[in-house]
Amino acid sequence: MSNDAAGRQTRFTVLLAALVALGPLSVDGYLLGLPDLAGDLRAGAAATQLTLTACLAGLAIGQLIAGPLSDTYGRRRPLLAGLALYTIASALCAVAPDIRTLVGLRLVQGIGGAFGIVIANAMVRDRTSGTRTARLFSALTLITGLAPVFAPVLGGQLLRVTAWPGIFVSLAVLGAVMLAASAAGLPETRSASASASRRPLPAVFGQLLGDRVFTGYVLANGLVFAAMFAYISGSPFVLQEIHGLSPQQYSAVFALNAAGLVAAAQASGRLVARAGARLLLLAGLLGATAGGTTVLGAVLTRAPLSVLLIGLFVLVSSVGLVMPNAAAQALADHGGHAGSAAALLGFSQFVFGAALAPLAGAGGATDALPMGIIVAVLPALALLALGALTRPKPGEHTRGPTPQGPAGHRRPRRTATPVVRGSASATGDSTGAGARARWDRRRGSAGRLGRP
């Protein structure tokens, strides 16, 4: 690859990473400003929390909108429209007069941010195949792991020089920068011929969900993501209230687990060419199941805190293997509807996370068992879904048009068909009856003589 081509690829990857980071930054960047926000807008704690829920709902719903639009009209126009919507909504959040208005604007902000996430994933599928797809998804997973950790830190630093509206102003500026950079630096990655499909949305989603292999990868990815979400929502109570960690100690544990996720994603990008995406995905699911089971065992047996921390580290680190490879596998055979496929993949993450993660806090500040059950059961269900839905049928070829396969599979070795002189394949004879008869006689003679 020439220096110029390498530079273009690097800029392409950086822009996609920034698009993926918009979602986590929008969700977590203002968390430390919630108390001041509640006071300024005269809102209770529950109403203030709705601003977080609204953004998450927007990120989920927006993906279902952005994916089909990008399949129909190409990637660039919906992306630029979504970024413009995000920028405007972020700016308006800074001047919201009351909590109800802010909740509505946060929903719109989430929808706009979702366009960046789903179209970035679709662009990966448009521009790459095979192990390159899994490698690029691994790079994007780094951002997925790092952004939630650093977003509150960045927000806290901004709060040292400004109030909570300043965070939304900063997000609006970031959205405007991303809009300009995408308009100047991101080409249209979907071919004109591929963009002609205008099938009804239910039909497209029905086709995708009717593919058991796609559904298996979506379930595996979504269930493991929900287990990580359960850890994020339940661990502050379990580690700080039950085990007595200070906020600084908890932050160190959280950062260490995030570092494990990042390291696993980096290892995935380097190993996928040799091991294959499916094998790495399986390793990630086994690791997540082992980590979740260790957490549950530590809770049930009242094991030392170190055992619980080891289980959490293994669980979260394994997500770095699961997410990029599940995404590469799920999108492998759906290049014609990559936007819609990426939308369902991302939507499942937020839906599973929002629906199942709150169960981890059912024990409140006194009982860690609900979190232990959730983080143990969900990865096991993900492993079961992978085995039950993505197992090839008898005689079914491994998926993929390339020798390595679009997601790291190897094609089964083909058995050469014997060509008999005088047969149709050799002479152009349309029947080849005589050749087939001679071949049958030879096989019969070989069998009588005990030859293989």
Side-chain angles (χ1 to χ4, degrees):
M1 182 182 294
S2 67
N3 291 336
D4 186 46
R8 287 197 301 269
Q9 181 64 28
T10 300
R11 288 192 296 271
F12 179 73
T13 303
V14 169
L15 279 174
L16 295 188
L19 291 172
V20 169
L22 275 183
L25 288 175
S26 303
V27 172
D28 300 328
Y30 80 123
L31 291 180
L32 296 180
L34 284 179
D36 292 338
L37 184 154
D40 291 346
L41 298 183
R42 297 183 178 86
T48 305
Q49 288 290 335
L50 280 178
T51 63
L52 178 63
T53 303
C55 187
L56 288 172
L59 287 170
I61 297 170
Q63 295 194 56
L64 295 182
I65 300 172
L69 285 178
S70 72
D71 283 340
T72 302
Y73 299 105
R75 311 300 185 207
R76 273 178 58 87
R77 284 188 291 171
L79 174 62
L80 298 180
L83 289 174
L85 181 66
Y86 174 88
T87 302
I88 295 171
S90 298
L92 292 176
C93 283
V95 295
D98 54 60
I99 195 66
R100 289 185 178 179
T101 303
L102 181 60
V103 169
L105 290 172
R106 287 281 285 168
L107 176 67
V108 177
Q109 184 192 39
I111 291 173
F115 275 66
I117 296 173
V118 69
I119 293 178
N121 288 330
M123 283 182 162
V124 171
R125 177 59 182 83
D126 291 339
R127 289 283 294 268
T128 63
S129 63
T131 57
R132 290 182 61 200
T133 302
R135 284 198 191 102
L136 194 46
F137 275 128
S138 296
L140 298 185
T141 301
L142 297 184
I143 306 302
T144 303
L146 288 175
V149 177
F150 287 106
V153 176
L154 294 174
Q157 294 303 310
L158 284 173
L159 288 174
R160 294 168 65 94
V161 297
T162 184
W164 64 266
I167 295 177
F168 289 108
V169 171
S170 300
L171 291 174
V173 172
L174 177 61
V177 170
M178 288 305 306
L179 176 60
S182 298
L186 279 182
E188 176 58 64
T189 59
R190 185 164 172 78
S191 65
S193 59
S195 298
S197 173
R198 299 195 179 214
R199 297 177 58 195
L201 183 58
V204 174
F205 283 161
Q207 175 187 341
L208 290 169
L209 294 175
D211 180 351
R212 64 175 176 80
V213 179
F214 173 79
T215 303
Y217 290 126
V218 167
L219 287 175
N221 182 71
L223 290 169
V224 169
F225 185 86
M228 185 179 71
F229 219 84
Y231 148 76
I232 292 172
S233 63
S235 61
F237 301 100
V238 172
L239 296 180
Q240 293 186 82
E241 301 296 332
I242 297 177
H243 289 279
L245 293 187
S246 67
Q248 293 74 24
Q249 289 173 324
Y250 173 75
S251 297
V253 170
F254 196 88
L256 179 63
N257 290 339
L261 186 151
V262 169
Q266 284 184 314
S268 174
R270 294 181 179 181
L271 295 175
V272 68
R274 284 183 290 176
R278 182 179 172 84
L279 182 60
L280 291 176
L281 171 59
L282 180 60
L285 291 177
L286 290 172
T289 303
T293 303
T294 301
V295 170
L296 179 59
V299 171
L300 292 174
T301 62
R302 300 183 183 275
L305 176 61
S306 58
V307 178
L308 176 64
L309 294 179
I310 290 172
L312 290 174
F313 178 80
V314 173
L315 168 69
V316 177
S317 299
S318 299
V319 177
L321 293 177
V322 172
M323 290 183 63
N325 294 296
Q329 298 283 80
L331 301 184
D333 285 353
H334 296 286
H337 297 290
S340 299
L344 287 175
L345 189 71
F347 178 77
S348 70
Q349 291 180 348
F350 286 100
V351 168
F352 289 166
L356 299 174
L359 299 177
T366 60
D367 190 359
L369 184 59
M371 187 190 80
I373 293 174
I374 291 295
V375 300
V377 170
L378 293 184
L381 290 177
L383 190 61
L384 180 63
L386 182 75
L389 297 177
T390 69
R391 185 173 51 202
K393 298 177 182 178
E396 181 182 356
H397 289 309
T398 304
R399 328 179 99 197
T402 61
Q404 183 71 10
H409 287 311
R410 294 184 182 276
R411 278 184 174 177
R413 184 178 300 174
R414 295 182 178 179
T415 303
T417 302
V419 178
V420 182
R421 183 175 299 175
S423 67
S425 59
T427 66
D429 180 14
S430 60
T431 61
R436 282 195 295 272
R438 287 193 297 273
W439 175 251
D440 291 339
R441 286 197 300 270
R442 290 178 184 177
R443 292 182 63 189
S445 300
R448 288 191 299 272
L449 293 174
R451 295 174 185 171

